[in-house]
Amino acid sequence: MKSLAELQAIRDKARANVNLRKENPNAAKVLVGMATCGIAAGARPVLNAFVEEIAKRGLSDDIVVTQTGCIGICQYEPVVEVEIPGQEKVTYVKMTPEKAVEVVNDHLVNKNVVSKYTIGAYAE
């Protein structure tokens, strides 16, 4: 068993790491549906593509990529929601890693929604 001093040191280190991860309140958010339905449909490579492209462009401080549970539209998986402060949330469906790179470039960088990949384009 660890001593009390060792446990306190572990706690302090963990707290410091959590403080480093504080979000920028003005950051855009990319939420990738990673419930079993999303994972089965290929959400993990989509998540990785978003993370890699955003890191490659040096946008990690301005865009937070995270996973979420079921978004509720399993027939359209993989599903990604993009939330930019002051704008309406955009839901992208049937995503692929290639589409993710396009969304980063067109929507997150150039502020143009990629309408052909949104839920509205598929629900028509």
Side-chain angles (χ1 to χ4, degrees):
M1 178 144 174
K2 302 226 178 235
S3 72
L4 185 56
E6 289 175 299
L7 291 174
Q8 288 173 335
I10 292 169
R11 180 195 64 199
D12 293 342
K13 183 178 178 185
R15 281 186 180 164
N17 287 338
V18 168
N19 288 337
L20 289 175
R21 292 185 289 178
K22 286 188 177 174
E23 282 185 21
N24 171 356
N26 298 317
K29 293 180 182 156
V30 176
L31 296 112
V32 181
M34 293 286 287
T36 53
C37 52
I39 293 169
R44 191 168 311 283
V46 171
L47 176 84
N48 292 339
F50 272 106
V51 170
E52 291 168 10
E53 188 66 18
I54 288 166
K56 183 173 86 174
R57 292 171 176 261
L59 301 171
S60 298
D61 290 338
D62 300 319
I63 303 170
V64 176
V65 180
T66 189
Q67 62 186 38
T68 188
C70 183
I71 295 174
I73 47 175
C74 301
Q75 69 270 26
Y76 295 114
E77 292 288 357
V79 177
V80 174
E81 293 181 336
V82 174
E83 299 176 358
I84 298 175
Q87 298 180 18
E88 282 191 44
K89 173 179 68 176
V90 176
T91 302
Y92 290 104
V93 297
K94 298 190 180 277
M95 291 297 291
T96 65
E98 295 77 21
K99 290 177 181 179
V101 171
E102 191 174 343
V103 168
V104 170
N105 182 62
D106 292 356
H107 189 168
L108 295 167
V109 173
N110 294 316
K111 310 297 183 219
N112 297 314
V113 174
V114 188
S115 298
K116 63 185 176 184
Y117 302 146
T118 63
I119 185 76
Y122 283 88
E124 293 176 345

